[in-house]
Amino acid sequence: MVVFFDIDGTIVDEATQIIPQSTAQAVRALRCNGHLPVINTGRPYGHIDPRVRAMDFAGWICGCGMQVILNDRMIYQDYPDAACCRKVADLAAQCGMLILAEGEEELFYDSSVTYTAAPAMEAERMRQKGFRIRDLRECPDVRFIKFVTHDAPECDRERFAAGVSDLFDGIDRGGSMMEFVKKGNSKARGMEILLKELQIPKDQTFAIGDSTNDLPMFALAGTTICMGSGMDALKAQADYITDSVLDHGIFNALRHFRLI
């Protein structure tokens, strides 16, 4: 079996940033039992928590399918060009959107606006983990892989979304957050690329997640598992609902399906 894992809210607890020891044990046990654990995340590979990169994963689908890595080999990548990135940054400023743009190993933001709690917290978490935080205003030739936005007071979300709709697909993450992925890519598309490389049918796959950006992954996987603290929209599409991250949800789910 190939088991696809989201990261935030699935491997890592969102509130505490804790990775339970039982989760690392479960991933190791999967490998020992001949299964392939694969990360499937919205984060670019360079943005993944070093603790997760140190775990026993066999492959990595990153940036919502914009990067696919198998056995340390990049088998697919699809990034926006520099002109596209500049257009996004400029339009975000014009529409008053709070943007966090994700480069290879850096995070870009706009210093001219005051960020609300959620994006400010994410930037600080990345800084504490050793990632470089850069100002879009100081990077005229900015290049990033994907980006998220949060609403600011009096922003024009509809104008911004419409302005980038020819280049990016938007994912409503709930509340004020939107995630944007270059058109033609998704967590499901990344899975298709990796499964074709491995010559493994989709009915021999599991997907574990917690958020609406996991819906494409759930639509493709043979068996789907939602974390106990996951979003209701994802729970409605799940074959099984496990416990929360800190209540050993990953370990318990894999044990339930006798994968470990």
Side-chain angles (χ1 to χ4, degrees):
M1 291 288 181
V2 182
V3 184
F4 295 96
F5 296 82
D6 176 51
I7 294 179
D8 299 292
T10 302
I11 297 289
V12 182
D13 179 65
E14 288 273 23
T16 66
Q17 295 296 289
I18 290 173
I19 301 174
Q21 186 177 1
S22 64
T23 298
Q25 292 173 341
V27 173
R28 283 197 300 270
L30 275 177
R31 293 294 296 267
C32 290
N33 289 348
H35 305 298
L36 292 179
V38 175
I39 284 291
N40 196 348
T41 180
R43 293 183 181 273
Y45 181 77
H47 284 227
I48 294 176
D49 190 310
R51 298 172 298 168
V52 177
R53 285 196 274 187
M55 295 169 69
D56 295 332
F57 289 102
W60 309 82
I61 298 169
C62 304
C64 287
M66 295 170 66
Q67 301 168 308
V68 182
I69 301 166
L70 180 62
N71 297 324
D72 299 321
R73 180 172 61 92
M74 184 79 75
I75 63 174
Y76 174 82
Q77 65 179 23
D78 183 24
Y79 302 162
D81 61 25
C84 173
C85 292
R86 188 70 261 163
K87 174 183 176 179
V88 167
D90 291 345
L91 187 59
Q94 295 166 20
C95 296
M97 303 302 298
L98 306 178
I99 185 171
L100 292 176
E102 303 164 355
E104 289 279 7
E105 294 186 352
E106 54 200 356
L107 186 69
F108 298 94
Y109 78 111
D110 185 343
S111 65
S112 68
V113 296
T114 300
Y115 279 62
T116 54
M121 181 182 296
E122 172 62 13
E124 178 59 20
R125 283 175 175 171
M126 292 293 287
R127 187 190 66 77
Q128 291 179 0
K129 292 173 183 177
F131 295 97
R132 185 161 60 151
I133 311 299
R134 300 184 65 191
D135 188 348
L136 282 169
R137 302 269 170 165
E138 299 176 357
C139 303
D141 299 321
V142 63
R143 292 292 302 272
F144 52 77
I145 297 170
K146 57 179 284 290
F147 64 97
V148 301
T149 63
H150 290 260
D151 295 346
E154 302 181 4
C155 69
D156 192 342
R157 179 198 277 205
E158 291 186 5
R159 178 190 168 199
F160 177 78
V164 300
S165 62
D166 59 328
L167 305 169
F168 292 88
D169 291 320
I171 305 168
D172 189 342
R173 296 291 301 273
S176 73
M177 181 179 177
M178 290 285 293
E179 184 171 29
F180 291 87
V181 181
K182 188 180 177 186
K183 277 192 171 298
N185 298 285
S186 69
K187 287 190 172 186
R189 174 62 178 150
M191 291 166 67
E192 291 174 340
I193 292 167
L194 187 139
L195 292 173
K196 182 178 180 180
E197 181 78 10
L198 294 170
Q199 297 186 336
I200 293 176
K202 65 181 182 180
D203 62 358
Q204 294 183 24
T205 66
F206 283 75
I208 309 177
D210 75 303
S211 181
T212 48
N213 76 343
D214 295 314
L215 285 168
M217 179 167 70
F218 272 36
L220 185 70
T223 303
T224 58
I225 302 167
C226 184
M227 304 302 293
S229 53
M231 298 177 70
D232 289 341
L234 195 68
K235 288 180 177 178
Q237 302 300 318
D239 296 312
Y240 180 75
I241 299 172
T242 188
D243 302 300
S244 67
V245 176
L246 297 182
D247 288 328
H248 312 293
I250 294 295
F251 185 93
N252 293 341
L254 298 180
R255 176 66 60 87
H256 172 82
F257 285 101
R258 299 184 180 181
L259 296 172
I260 61 174

